[in-house]
Amino acid sequence: MDFLNPRALRWKIAALAAAACCAVAAVVGFLVHDATRERGLRVGHDRALTRLIAAEREYDRTGKAPADIDVRTRAELPEPLARDLAERRPDTDGGYATWYDVEPPNWYWMWGAVAVGDDRILVVRDDMSTEVRSLQLLDRSIVKSVLAALVFVVPLAALATEPINRRLRHGARTARRIADGDLDARIGPGGRARDEITEMSAAVDDMAGALQRKLETERRFTADVAHELRTPLMGLVTAAGLLPDDEEATVLVRDRLRALNALVEDLLEISRLDAGAERARLDPVPLGELVADVVRRTGTDTRVDVGAAGMVETDPRRVERIVVNLVTNAHRHGAAPVAVTVTGARIAVRDHGPGFPPDLLERGPQRFRTGASERGRGHGLGLTVAQGQSEVLGARLTFANAPGGGALATLDLAPRPA
């Protein structure tokens, strides 16, 4: 299913939304964590100073320190606290020194010290574990909140992108229809949105319209040229019939006229196929006998195997046209021996030449191209006509290179599954 495809656009957008959510949560979490930590340190610092001030007053009044206050020498102080105390000045900051002692996982103390005499220092130590545990609970709450938010953000982002995905899928389906020959297919505006997808849809529709106009112009040109050539060609054929039969020039002229006449007939047939004017007339046909007769009338040295042929409901005239073109192409561009095999409703034509060129195997027959110089030269319309006639029949014509060498064209007349 497309919905479960991890590479689908909806999940990429959902992942982007999740990443953005995590990034925002990380920044906010860091700021909250840092602010809470600083506030805890200030609370601990103020608490230690309060106790020091009270202890210093008590010591000045009674000469003794309160019970919860230590009296130490400088040598007995932790090194960081002693260093900070040495930098303090009574006339500017009161001489109070503090130090946050951290030894994870369970040692968090705020130390405070003030000198009250020669080498006599009042020392307080305040437990910061409560503040640290509060900070850890805050961090866990932030993480849980982010995870809970992602549970809702990711599906909502995936669902929110569904209209976009639907429009893109519609555009892709329409583009495939255009590629398959449905030049009337259009994506259309697709709603009120005026975004990049709308612009792309309009551009594809404009492209399809321009392509349709260009192809229609080409079809009209092909048909017009063929029709215009037909009249003078008939005159040339008539004139060639008046030439002496025993001269070499007569043979050459008549041969070239036959080739030109075949070209004009191919052009006319292609114009009719392009216009969609061709319709198949189906009749029950003994396929083996039909193919054997067609190959015999080509006058070529072609082996025919019709042992497994049967009755097929098809248009015999179009099958004849296809077989003639395939056999002629095999002899003209391939190499002997050429064999035609009929199996059920399938006709296979194989030669032993260089095989079909890669471009033809990839893209199919193209007009006025033979595809490879080693397969000879020609006007290149025979395979195009055969392909068009097979589509009219609802058959399937495929081109491949045989494992042992040579080109293999296969016409499958069996009805395609719905």
Side-chain angles (χ1 to χ4, degrees), residues 18-76:
C21 181
C22 290
V24 171
V27 172
V28 173
F30 173 78
L31 294 176
V32 172
H33 173 92
D34 191 62
T36 304
R37 180 177 179 277
E38 291 296 327
R39 185 179 62 82
L41 291 177
R42 285 197 302 270
V43 169
H45 180 270
D46 293 343
R47 198 162 54 219
L49 288 183
T50 300
R51 292 180 60 194
L52 276 179
I53 292 172
E56 185 180 23
R57 291 175 179 172
E58 178 70 19
Y59 187 85
D60 290 342
R61 188 174 66 253
T62 63
K64 295 181 180 180
D68 59 340
I69 303 297
D70 293 338
V71 180
R72 302 187 183 185
T73 64
R74 290 184 182 273
E76 295 173 336

Side-chain angles (χ1 to χ4, degrees), residues 129-198:
S129 299
T130 301
E131 284 76 9
V132 172
R133 282 194 293 272
S134 298
L135 184 60
Q136 293 172 345
L137 289 174
L138 175 64
D139 292 341
R140 283 195 288 269
S141 299
I142 292 175
V143 172
K144 290 179 181 178
S145 300
V146 171
L147 294 178
L150 290 178
V151 171
F152 292 96
V153 168
V154 172
L156 287 176
L159 292 175
T161 58
E162 180 57 25
I164 298 176
N165 291 332
R166 189 160 48 245
R167 294 167 63 194
L168 290 175
R169 287 195 299 270
H170 172 65
R173 288 193 298 268
T174 304
R176 291 192 188 97
R177 288 171 55 194
I178 295 172
D180 291 337
D182 184 6
L183 299 181
D184 292 324
R186 296 293 184 272
I187 298 176
R192 302 178 181 177
R194 293 294 179 267
D195 52 16
E196 291 82 356
I197 298 179
T198 303

Side-chain angles (χ1 to χ4, degrees), residues 43-364:
V43 169
H45 180 270
D46 293 343
R47 198 162 54 219
L49 288 183
T50 300
R51 292 180 60 194
L52 276 179
I53 292 172
E56 185 180 23
R57 291 175 179 172
E58 178 70 19
Y59 187 85
D60 290 342
R61 188 174 66 253
T62 63
K64 295 181 180 180
D68 59 340
I69 303 297
D70 293 338
V71 180
R72 302 187 183 185
T73 64
R74 290 184 182 273
E76 295 173 336
L77 295 179
E79 193 275 334
L81 183 61
R83 185 172 58 252
D84 188 52
L85 183 63
E87 296 174 354
R88 300 296 174 176
R89 296 293 181 267
D91 54 346
T92 57
D93 50 26
Y96 302 107
T98 57
W99 170 52
Y100 185 41
D101 185 12
V102 179
E103 291 184 15
N106 299 315
W107 185 278
Y108 303 96
W109 297 92
M110 180 64 74
W111 294 70
V114 62
V116 292
D118 294 337
D119 205 27
R120 292 179 65 82
I121 299 170
L122 300 180
V123 178
V124 299
R125 191 174 62 171
D126 197 60
D127 188 6
M128 297 288 291
S129 299
T130 301
E131 284 76 9
V132 172
R133 282 194 293 272
S134 298
L135 184 60
Q136 293 172 345
L137 289 174
L138 175 64
D139 292 341
R140 283 195 288 269
S141 299
I142 292 175
V143 172
K144 290 179 181 178
S145 300
V146 171
L147 294 178
L150 290 178
V151 171
F152 292 96
V153 168
V154 172
L156 287 176
L159 292 175
T161 58
E162 180 57 25
I164 298 176
N165 291 332
R166 189 160 48 245
R167 294 167 63 194
L168 290 175
R169 287 195 299 270
H170 172 65
R173 288 193 298 268
T174 304
R176 291 192 188 97
R177 288 171 55 194
I178 295 172
D180 291 337
D182 184 6
L183 299 181
D184 292 324
R186 296 293 184 272
I187 298 176
R192 302 178 181 177
R194 293 294 179 267
D195 52 16
E196 291 82 356
I197 298 179
T198 303
E199 295 179 6
M200 182 197 69
S201 300
V204 171
D205 287 348
D206 291 343
M207 179 191 68
L211 178 62
Q212 185 177 30
R213 290 190 295 272
K214 181 177 180 181
L215 290 179
E216 288 176 352
T217 301
E218 179 184 335
R219 290 169 183 170
R220 286 195 299 270
F221 175 76
T222 302
D224 292 344
V225 167
H227 281 290
E228 291 296 328
L229 286 175
R230 204 170 193 181
T231 299
L233 180 60
M234 291 301 100
L236 287 174
V237 170
T238 303
L242 301 177
L243 295 175
D245 295 335
D246 56 349
E247 293 188 6
E248 182 178 353
T250 300
V251 175
L252 180 61
V253 168
R254 289 176 179 174
D255 177 70
R256 292 298 87 195
L257 282 176
R258 281 193 295 270
L260 183 58
N261 185 65
L263 173 59
V264 172
E265 291 299 326
D266 285 346
L267 288 173
L268 286 171
E269 190 165 357
I270 285 177
S271 67
R272 291 193 297 269
L273 291 171
D274 286 343
E278 296 288 287
R279 295 292 183 272
R281 298 180 62 179
L282 305 181
D283 294 301
V285 176
L287 190 60
E289 296 178 13
L290 173 65
V291 172
D293 181 64
V294 169
V295 174
R296 179 182 55 79
R297 285 189 281 111
T298 62
T300 59
D301 183 14
T302 304
R303 180 171 59 85
V304 181
D305 181 5
V306 297
M311 293 293 294
V312 177
E313 189 170 345
T314 187
D315 188 331
R317 184 184 70 82
R318 299 185 190 280
V319 172
E320 176 182 351
R321 190 78 167 97
I322 295 171
V323 172
V324 168
N325 282 6
L326 294 180
V327 171
T328 302
N329 182 81
H331 281 281
R332 179 179 298 165
H333 302 298
V338 176
V340 178
T341 304
V342 183
T343 306
R346 181 174 298 175
I347 305 170
V349 180
R350 178 184 176 184
D351 64 52
H352 287 75
F356 290 119
D359 186 62
L360 186 144
L361 295 177
E362 180 182 354
R363 302 180 184 178

